Amino acid sequence: MESVRVLLVDDQQMIRTSFRLILECEPDIAVVGEASDGDSAVEQVFALRPDVVLMDVRMPGTDGVEATRRIVESGAEAQVVMLTTFDLDRHVLDALRAGAVGFLVKDGPAQSLVEAVRMVAAGDAVLSPRVTRRLLDRFARLPQPPVGVASMRLEHLTAREVDVLRALSRGLSNEEIAQELDVSKNTVRTHIAHILEKYHLRDRVQAVILAYDAGLVTPVGYARTVR
């Protein structure tokens, strides 16, 4: 089984060393490179072809959000997880809109970092509990579209696809969605792929944003995030 290839991007050497020590203890994860700024990160994505990029938000010069945007727009297969000590709404939303598939705060437990890498490599999105709460609060403050308009946004989905989208937007992994809906993980992946294709979405994070924009779910009663 091939290891998940990870690129570490942070302007602080101590942070990169800490992350490397944590990740290299795992037999299924390999740190293939490091970068100290956004420009170097983009270059190393092309040179090293990592599966996952752990990207700091705030760096001198090109920041993590802009570097993520360049990586995503280039068509690279690397998935970006943002890492920051700040869980402010604008950082979360900017990072997600730039194409990040995950967002974690740096002071979280070491195991959450490992879990995030594995989840993203497996095709899941990941947000830390604290960041998820802030993101959901942000959605709660946004004006909701009229009910008729909201429901029309989902008219191209089957009933089962709506069930999957609702579960996905609660933070459930593919495996948890499969268990909840009593279907296989492959079936869940197929439904998610159909949702993304029908609405021309980049990834499952954008699917979550679609669910909130359409009024399918609300911040009340959201479920699981990485701990």
Side-chain angles (χ1 to χ4, degrees), residues 24-173:
E24 288 190 337
C25 289
E26 306 299 323
D28 58 335
I29 298 175
V31 177
V32 296
E34 299 181 16
S36 59
D37 59 70
D39 289 333
S40 297
V42 175
E43 292 175 1
Q44 294 215 44
V45 164
F46 294 126
L48 301 175
R49 303 176 66 85
D51 302 304
V52 178
V53 180
L54 298 180
M55 179 85 73
D56 187 22
V57 169
R58 293 191 173 188
M59 294 180 290
T62 301
D63 65 15
V65 174
E66 176 58 26
T68 297
R69 184 176 293 108
R70 293 182 190 176
I71 291 169
V72 171
E73 290 179 352
S74 74
E77 295 183 0
Q79 303 297 303
V80 181
V81 176
M82 306 303 293
L83 291 157
T84 184
T85 54
F86 305 95
D87 59 347
L88 303 177
D89 292 337
R90 66 185 182 89
H91 294 301
V92 176
L93 294 176
D94 287 348
L96 297 181
R97 286 171 178 154
V101 297
F103 204 111
L104 294 172
V105 288
K106 292 181 182 178
D107 60 356
Q111 190 56 34
S112 68
L113 182 67
V114 175
E115 290 178 3
V117 169
R118 289 177 177 150
M119 288 179 65
V120 169
D124 284 333
V126 55
L127 295 172
S128 74
R130 204 167 30 165
V131 172
T132 300
R133 284 192 290 271
R134 296 293 296 270
L135 180 60
L136 295 174
D137 289 343
R138 177 73 177 90
F139 275 116
R141 293 196 297 271
L142 294 175
Q144 291 294 317
V147 175
V149 174
S151 61
M152 285 177 62
R153 294 209 65 189
L154 301 179
E155 64 182 357
H156 300 298
L157 300 182
T158 66
R160 181 55 84 181
E161 287 168 352
V162 170
D163 290 340
V164 170
L165 179 59
R166 182 182 290 109
L168 186 155
S169 63
R170 286 165 45 216
L172 301 188
S173 67

